[in-house]
Structures are given as C-alpha cells and as structure tokens.
Amino acid sequence: MYQYTRKGLSEQFDIGKETLRYYEKINLLPIPARNESGYRVYSEEDVSRIKFILQMKNYGFSLREIADLIEMVRSEKRADKDMLIDNIDNKITEVENQIREFYELIELLNRLKEKKNLGECDFFKSIIKDT
C-alpha cells in the first residue's frame, strides 16, 4: 500500500499543508499514521476523502456540510441515513434555486447589453427588478 506525505498531497492537490492539518483538526480527515521518521503518512482512503472534500467544496458545499455528509455516511443509524436523504433533498432544492437565479442573471446581462447607450441613472433603473 502506497503512503502519501503531507507535502506530497499538498502538491498533488494544490492545497496548503496547513489545510490538511485543518481538515484533521475539524475531523474531515482522520489523524494519519506516522512513519518511522515521525512524518504523517496518508493512505489511499485519505486521498479519496481529500478528493471528495475538494470536489464538494467546488460544488459549493461548506466544510460543515461536508463534515455532516461524512458523518452521516459513516453512521450505522437509520435516523442518520434518513437525515442524509433529507440533506441531499435540501441541497437539490438549493441548487435548483441557484440555477433559476443564474437564468435570471443571464436575462439581466442580456438586457444590460441592450441598454449600453443609456445614461447612468436610466441604465440602473432599466436593470433593477421591481420587488
């Protein structure tokens, strides 16, 4: 089994060594074993977890949300599995709302292109949605 060093993972994923230490501190990563020299060494499972964390962050999940997902997946309790499904459903709704907002932004930007010759005040008035 190949073992990874903090420096190696830091370079591989383009994240700081302190980031890995922080992930350990907040229990996103388990405390790694140490080699004969006392350096922390990470397993393939740790690498998979780091990939998961970074991918979820790229999708807009907070570290708290990622930690909750990891905890619910690790749990054997039925209630936690039900909570996992509820969290996933909530995230789906949140993403669908964001998609709607992005479509609204596209419409707004297209209107901006059409209004490029207006004065500042008229420009702003033509763009601002009535709420």
Side-chain angles (χ1 to χ4, degrees), residues 95-123:
V95 169
E96 288 171 341
N97 289 336
Q98 288 175 326
I99 290 169
R100 272 191 288 286
E101 289 173 4
F102 282 127
Y103 278 118
E104 289 175 10
L105 175 60
I106 290 169
E107 289 175 18
L108 174 73
L109 293 172
N110 281 324
R111 286 196 314 268
L112 273 173
K113 289 190 316 187
E114 296 167 5
K115 309 290 184 186
K116 63 185 173 202
N117 294 323
L118 292 177
E120 180 178 335
C121 187
D122 290 332
F123 179 81

Side-chain angles (χ1 to χ4, degrees), residues 74-87:
R74 288 178 37 200
S75 175
E76 296 296 323
K77 297 177 191 169
R78 177 69 188 166
D80 287 342
K81 298 299 182 188
D82 291 341
M83 194 181 329
L84 174 64
I85 298 302
D86 289 344
N87 280 1

Side-chain angles (χ1 to χ4, degrees), residues 20-37:
L20 292 171
R21 188 173 289 142
Y22 180 69
Y23 289 169
E24 293 165 21
K25 180 180 177 183
I26 64 172
N27 296 319
L28 283 177
L29 284 175
I31 303 299
R34 294 186 181 262
N35 65 13
E36 307 81 40
S37 303

Side-chain angles (χ1 to χ4, degrees), residues 62-92:
S62 69
L63 292 179
R64 176 78 263 152
E65 289 173 317
I66 296 167
D68 289 346
L69 284 174
I70 290 170
E71 189 59 36
M72 286 182 267
V73 168
R74 288 178 37 200
S75 175
E76 296 296 323
K77 297 177 191 169
R78 177 69 188 166
D80 287 342
K81 298 299 182 188
D82 291 341
M83 194 181 329
L84 174 64
I85 298 302
D86 289 344
N87 280 1
I88 290 170
D89 286 340
N90 290 338
K91 196 62 172 182
I92 289 169

